[in-house]
Each structure stands twice: as C-alpha cells, then as structure tokens.
Amino acid sequence: MKYLIIGMGNFGRTLAEELSDKGNEVIGIDRSEHRIDEVKNRISVAYILDATEKSALKALPLDEIDCAIVAIGQSMDASLRAVAGLKELRVKNIWARAIDQTHRSILSAMSIQRIFTPETYAARIFAEKFEAKDDSQLW
C-alpha cells in the first residue's frame, strides 16, 4: 500500500515508521524541517511542505496513494485545511485525527472515511492493562 501521512509529530512519525517497516510505501509531510530530518531515512519520501495550502498539495502524487492520513494533532485549523485541500483534490480515502469532539463532528460532516483519536485509544488499552494487574504486560 502507498500512504500519505500529513503531520510528522510523535503520532504521525511513529505511524509512518511502523507502516514503512511493514513494507508499505510512505510519503511523509510536515512544515518542520527538523521533523522531516528525523524521519526521512525511515520512510520512502519526506517533504517539507505546508499541507494547509492546496497549491502545495497539488505537487504531490495524490493519484498514486491508497490512503491519505491527516495526523496533525495540535491545530484543528491546520487539520481541517489539510483535509479540505485533499477533498478538493479528490483524494478518495482520507483518514483524519480528531483533537476533540467538535473536530470529530466537523470531520464527520466532511464525510471522512475514518476519524480517530489516538490518545483515547491508548488510554483504553492502558486501562485494560491496569485492570489485568500484571505489570509485565504494561510495557
């Protein structure tokens, strides 16, 4: 599979590396040169690019990707602008990270295929591990 991941913060970078390690082709995007430098040797291609600008997204091989994942986790505005740009450019399979319930509602109204909140998912996993009362399973 070929993935486009927008946002190379902690979550986006880890997701990009894991998907790449499993044999997938991953294109990573971030505005931060530092974040791109940290990931560029672990994924197929990494671009320093402002994904909130539709003109910047047009430079990407969007017709070749199987799934675009907007992993931006600090700015609802940036996330929504990136999603809107992808939608306008007719990217078919878009997944997006929701920061809160309002963000989730807006993404849902935009007909995003999958909306996820990694912090909520991780908290549920940890709660299950704590309930197991076996410290060895926590890490």
Side-chain angles (χ1 to χ4, degrees), residues 11-102:
F11 175 76
R13 176 184 176 186
T14 302
L15 179 61
E17 291 172 347
E18 290 292 322
L19 287 170
S20 185
D21 289 349
K22 293 180 184 329
N24 297 286
E25 189 172 342
V26 178
I27 300 169
I29 306 296
D30 202 285
R31 291 188 293 199
S32 166
E33 181 177 355
H34 173 71
R35 287 182 179 164
I36 291 300
D37 283 344
E38 288 181 338
V39 74
K40 69 182 178 187
N41 294 323
R42 295 281 315 274
I43 63 175
S44 306
V45 183
Y47 293 104
I48 302 167
L49 188 136
D50 184 354
T52 66
E53 298 294 330
K54 188 170 90 170
S55 60
L57 291 172
K58 283 182 180 180
L60 299 171
L62 297 177
D63 57 334
E64 298 175 16
I65 63 165
D66 297 303
C67 182
I69 302 167
V70 179
I72 298 169
Q74 293 186 343
S75 169
M76 185 184 337
D77 178 63
S79 169
L80 293 173
R81 289 173 55 119
V83 168
L86 293 170
K87 293 287 281 185
E88 286 181 40
L89 295 170
R90 303 194 192 296
V91 173
K92 292 177 181 66
N93 192 17
I94 303 171
W95 291 31
R97 177 182 189 170
I99 296 169
D100 58 25
Q101 190 56 44
T102 300

